[in-house]
Amino acid sequence: MSTYAPRHHAPSAFSTPASTTLFRRLTWEGTVPLEIRVDSKELPANSDRGLECYYMQAPRVSYLPLIIPEIKRFLMDVVFDEAGARVIKEEDWWFESEEGSLLKWHWPIGLIYDSHTIASTLRPNTSSIQITPLRLILHLASPPTDKLLLSPSADACKQAFMGQLKEADFIRWGNTKRMTGLRKAEQDGLWEGIREHNFEEYWRVAAKVTPTTTPTRSGSPPPPSSTSMHTRPPSADPGSTAAPDRDGAYSVRSVPVRIYLPDGPVLQDLVPPTLEDGTVHTLAKYLAVHLPLLFPAGKPPLAYALLQGVHAPSDAEMAWLGACMAGADGWVNICVGILRDSHHRF
Amino acid sequence: MQAANDALQVYQKPEPVQGNALCTICPIHAVTACRKVAILFKAIGNAPIMKQNLYKINAQNQFRAVIRFLRKQLGYNPQDALFTYINLSFAPAPDDTVLNLHKSFASDGALIVNYSTTVAWG
């Protein structure tokens, strides 16, 4: 398609508002520290014990099946001997947290990290949680398949990822036309962008399904034509400057949002970008309505909201969060942690 | 800290505390007042049609429980291929709850689950 610029020209930097690109870039480049330790009971004979621990910074938007090749390379090179390497079957691998909860193959790594962070706010003496790596135990055998829900293959993870993107598309527009309108090569490009952690490759396609942040309220001037050239196919744009921006963040039916509470449950509801009284929907309003016991109106909150590892300001607008702070699967994941009595964030 | 923990326990409890009390405490849980929600199964392509296709299912179940239920109704073995979709559009994560899906995607009070023996919307 003629609107594609070559990758090295970083097209998004020129065609989308700079602050939007900045936050999308920050979200994309976010990484979390992981400490991966092989369950010592499951190490093959003659493994080099004492080295079975691997440290890495993993992208927040990536998935556990995608970091397995790197871990496997390390184990094969350093820890297992030849006989041990032969008996290892990576389809039997699975991850567990230090506290013994199973880690899901289809959750973004950033979400796994943040949900662990908020769970630890329930436990005493975990003040330094933010700077220590998330400790994972890698099991080499006997996966509890029923509880893991998916096979550990990258392909199964890709299917789940595409499903989440389509669900997010449906939440936004009431149909999945934007996702199904992508050609196969474009859909594959989204996943390849994750797999290779390539911002440009991912956003070249994702810009066609993610809402734009061009202001449309309060009679703002229409966006320059270069904006629409990149953010949606020209054919989808009627070319009328007076028409409301139908791909805009404030035109969606609902923002794809999930709330994660410490140790569950996960809550999901329709999140319109503007409320019935015409005011813009904000994180503070959303939390006050859905979790009034933790975010009581007119009183200091008992909890805080963590988005992409960041303490989110309460006046952040839900539509903006959906366009700039969503994960690569299109979802805004709000992890709610419990505040210690001594400090209040809001 | 104690107040926060008490609040969390309310949100983690699947059942209404007293009658409909939970609806006012946590509107996101409002559907749990009726606790069961309607699911309408619709076959796609060559998949066998169900004689009865409207069921009430506990809203706290994960979607995988719906898949398990559907397999049983169809008499399918675990190795038989079966793909499930919402609103002819997407396959939800197996750990999404029926409650969440129903709130976001139900039409005319029922969550429409399409099923197929081949991949329909990969």
Side-chain angles (χ1 to χ4, degrees):
Chain A
M1 227 186 198
S2 59
T3 52
Y4 291 168
R7 181 186 300 178
H8 298 294
H9 287 197
S12 47
F14 296 97
S15 49
T16 315
S19 66
T20 300
T21 305
L22 173 65
F23 279 98
R24 286 176 177 173
R25 170 75 78 173
L26 287 170
T27 300
W28 183 267
E29 299 296 345
T31 59
V32 294
L34 302 179
E35 176 191 304
I36 296 142
R37 183 179 296 274
V38 180
D39 184 344
S40 57
K41 296 187 291 298
E42 295 168 6
L43 278 173
N46 301 321
S47 293
D48 195 338
R49 285 171 191 267
L51 291 175
E52 71 275 24
C53 204
Y54 186 66
Y55 294 89
M56 68 186 295
Q57 285 287 135
R60 285 185 158 269
V61 293
S62 191
Y63 294 87
L64 291 175
L66 298 183
I67 63 169
I68 280 194
E70 181 179 335
I71 300 168
K72 187 179 176 187
R73 238 179 350 258
F74 166 79
L75 293 174
M76 292 294 189
D77 289 351
V78 177
V79 182
F80 304 155
D81 71 352
E82 269 180 43
R86 271 199 299 275
V87 300
I88 289 300
K89 291 196 296 254
E90 62 185 89
E91 58 266 26
D92 288 340
W93 289 15
W94 53 288
F95 290 98
E96 197 176 26
S97 76
E98 208 177 25
E99 292 81 19
S101 51
L102 298 184
L103 300 185
K104 288 172 178 164
W105 294 117
H106 63 293
W107 278 26
I109 289 173
L111 175 60
I112 290 173
Y113 190 89
D114 289 347
S115 69
H116 183 267
T117 300
I118 59 166
S120 60
T121 62
L122 293 182
R123 302 181 237 296
N125 307 323
T126 46
S127 54
S128 60
I129 45 168
Q130 294 288 353
I131 46 165
T132 56
L134 175 58
R135 296 200 175 91
L136 305 184
I137 296 161
L138 171 59
H139 294 280
L140 305 178
S142 317
T145 316
D146 183 48
K147 292 187 183 124
L148 289 165
L149 306 174
L150 292 187
S151 75
S153 70
D155 201 49
C157 192
K158 177 185 174 185
Q159 296 307 322
F161 169 74
M162 298 310 292
Q164 288 302 299
L165 270 172
K166 284 178 192 164
E167 184 172 347
D169 207 28
F170 198 102
I171 290 263
R172 287 191 203 104
W173 314 107
N175 59 62
T176 50
K177 283 186 196 139
R178 282 167 177 75
M179 277 301 293
T180 51
L182 297 175
R183 286 169 300 152
K184 171 92 169 60
E186 292 177 306
Q187 292 204 4
D188 291 345
L190 289 167
W191 180 247
E192 285 309 307
I194 304 275
R195 189 196 268 279
E196 293 164 22
H197 199 224
N198 184 319
F199 179 82
E200 270 79 28
E201 183 168 9
Y202 171 83
W203 274 105
R204 193 165 52 210
V205 183
K208 296 182 177 188
V209 296
T210 312
T212 61
T213 52
T214 317
T216 54
R217 293 163 294 150
S218 67
S220 303
S225 59
S226 62
T227 303
S228 55
M229 283 296 281
H230 179 68
T231 53
R232 57 201 136 141
S235 58
D237 192 337
S240 158
T241 51
D245 183 4
R246 63 193 197 97
D247 290 328
Y250 293 87
S251 305
V252 300
R253 190 182 68 131
S254 170
V255 184
V257 176
R258 292 196 179 109
I259 298 179
Y260 294 79
L261 292 175
D263 295 338
V266 181
L267 308 175
Q268 178 183 328
D269 200 356
L270 293 177
V271 186
T274 48
L275 296 170
E276 277 172 19
D277 62 4
T279 58
V280 173
H281 203 173
T282 62
L283 186 58
K285 292 177 192 170
Y286 180 63
L287 293 172
V289 165
H290 287 100
L291 299 171
L293 296 181
L294 290 173
F295 298 90
K299 286 189 213 151
L302 307 174
Y304 65 93
L306 202 58
L307 269 87
Q308 302 286 5
V310 178
H311 287 261
S314 59
D315 58 352
E317 298 180 5
M318 298 308 287
W320 183 86
L321 292 175
C324 297
M325 296 287 284
D329 60 1
W331 287 85
V332 177
N333 294 319
I334 301 176
C335 292
V336 172
I338 299 304
L339 280 174
R340 302 271 151 178
D341 295 327
S342 53
H343 55 88
H344 294 297
R345 291 270 175 181
F346 284 83
Chain B
M1 190 75 193
Q2 189 54 47
N5 283 333
D6 293 346
L8 266 184
Q9 280 185 6
V10 172
Y11 296 137
Q12 284 165 350
K13 203 170 284 183
E15 305 292 320
V17 184
Q18 294 170 318
N20 286 343
L22 198 58
C23 303
T24 53
I25 298 170
C26 180
I28 210 163
H29 270 14
V31 174
T32 48
C34 42
R35 272 181 289 159
K36 290 203 166 196
V37 295
I39 294 194
L40 185 62
F41 291 104
K42 288 188 176 178
I44 309 169
N46 295 331
I49 292 167
M50 297 161 81
K51 281 207 181 92
Q52 192 202 330
N53 65 349
L54 182 65
Y55 289 91
K56 292 256 180 185
I57 288 182
N58 189 322
Q60 297 300 329
N61 274 320
Q62 293 185 349
F63 189 71
R64 60 187 173 133
V66 176
I67 301 173
R68 214 179 302 137
F69 174 82
L70 179 61
R71 283 186 171 278
K72 210 171 144 197
Q73 293 297 315
L74 296 173
Y76 274 30
N77 294 318
Q79 64 271 21
D80 295 330
L82 182 69
F83 301 89
T84 45
Y85 302 91
I86 302 292
N87 288 346
L88 299 173
S89 293
F90 64 89
D95 55 340
D96 264 359
T97 63
V98 172
L99 172 67
N100 284 342
L101 292 169
H102 192 272
K103 285 182 86 82
S104 296
F105 304 112
S107 46
D108 294 329
L111 180 67
I112 298 172
V113 175
N114 311 100
Y115 58 98
S116 172
T117 54
T118 54
V119 173
W121 294 276

